[in-house]
Amino acid sequence: MRTLKLYHGSENVIKIPQYHFGNQKNDYGVGFYCTENPELAKEWACTEEKDGFANEYLLNLEGLTVLNLSQSQYNILNWLTILLENRTFELTSEISIAAKQYLLKNFSIHYSRYDIIRGYRADDSYFSFANAFLNNTISVQKLNKAMYLGKLGEQVVLKSKKAFSQISFVSRQTAERNIYYPKKILRDSAARETFFKIHTESELTNPEALFIMDIMRGGIKNGDSRIPEILFK
């Protein structure tokens, strides 16, 4: 039996994850959001005022379909379109509104049919990257690089009723707020600093730099070799 050890950060102990319960505005919609890294789960679990828990589980993978967005057939724009479908973006410029429509039409993938989704986690710092790209101020190459170097972490999301039926609670670990909340803030600050550094690097002499306006005007679609693969270790 193939199994995967997962951790879910929460202010509560969750022995039985509930199917189709939670925030619809999460990265991949409603689901149970986990990580394979217990330290990262502890960062997600606590707030400045309150300790939390890293709930540990075993997931039986037999018979489950997995969408792994870090595989070579996917690119950073596939991931971005999923976020555009689920998260709330404040798109105020004409170009950003047109960019969203273009990406949803040409880079969407059928992610809802999978039991499990693996991919980057987006937090507030990510929206600086995404909004800059949608407003044509950074290239897709910079977007890809910023996400990779930002080290926001990979998450594993249970989406289907079948997946929920194959996860079992193992134990809990306390996430002390005085230890893990500062780590969470430090990770976010590091991601923002990485973005600022990358954002200030000139792309004027880079003939391969591809901006959203280039993508739309050139009619570039999913599968084009000019769109970089998602970078992930």
Side-chain angles (χ1 to χ4, degrees), residues 76 120 140-150 194 198 201 231:
I76 193 70
Y120 277 135
V140 67
Q141 288 87 356
K142 273 194 176 183
L143 173 68
N144 208 31
K145 184 178 179 181
M147 281 304 305
Y148 174 67
L149 296 178
T194 297
I198 293 173
E201 295 173 353
L231 297 172

Side-chain angles (χ1 to χ4, degrees), residues 63-142:
L64 298 182
T65 57
V66 180
L67 171 61
N68 187 344
L69 291 170
S70 65
Q71 291 180 332
S72 60
Q73 65 263 45
Y74 302 110
N75 60 63
I76 193 70
L77 299 185
N78 297 140
W79 182 74
L80 178 55
T81 57
I82 296 176
L83 261 66
L84 286 169
E85 288 185 42
N86 293 296
R87 297 289 296 267
T88 300
F89 284 76
E90 293 184 7
L91 305 178
T92 56
S93 68
E94 181 181 357
I95 189 170
S96 65
I97 294 170
K100 176 180 178 178
Q101 294 172 346
Y102 187 89
L103 293 173
L104 290 175
K105 180 179 179 181
N106 295 289
F107 288 88
S108 291
I109 54 179
H110 300 295
Y111 64 92
S112 60
R113 65 188 182 190
Y114 289 90
D115 299 307
I116 304 290
I117 301 177
R118 299 184 70 117
Y120 277 135
R121 168 183 174 265
D123 64 4
D124 291 344
S125 59
Y126 172 74
F127 286 88
S128 298
F129 313 163
N131 283 323
F133 173 71
L134 293 170
N135 281 285
N136 207 52
T137 62
I138 65 169
S139 68
V140 67
Q141 288 87 356
K142 273 194 176 183

Side-chain angles (χ1 to χ4, degrees), residues 1 8 22-23 25 34 45 47 52 55 85 101 111 119 127 131-133 140 144-147 154 169 185 232:
M1 181 176 67
H8 174 79
N23 185 0
K25 296 296 184 180
C34 302
T47 65
N55 295 278
E85 288 185 42
Q101 294 172 346
Y111 64 92
F127 286 88
N131 283 323
F133 173 71
V140 67
N144 208 31
K145 184 178 179 181
M147 281 304 305
E154 185 185 42
F169 179 81
I185 297 302
F232 211 94

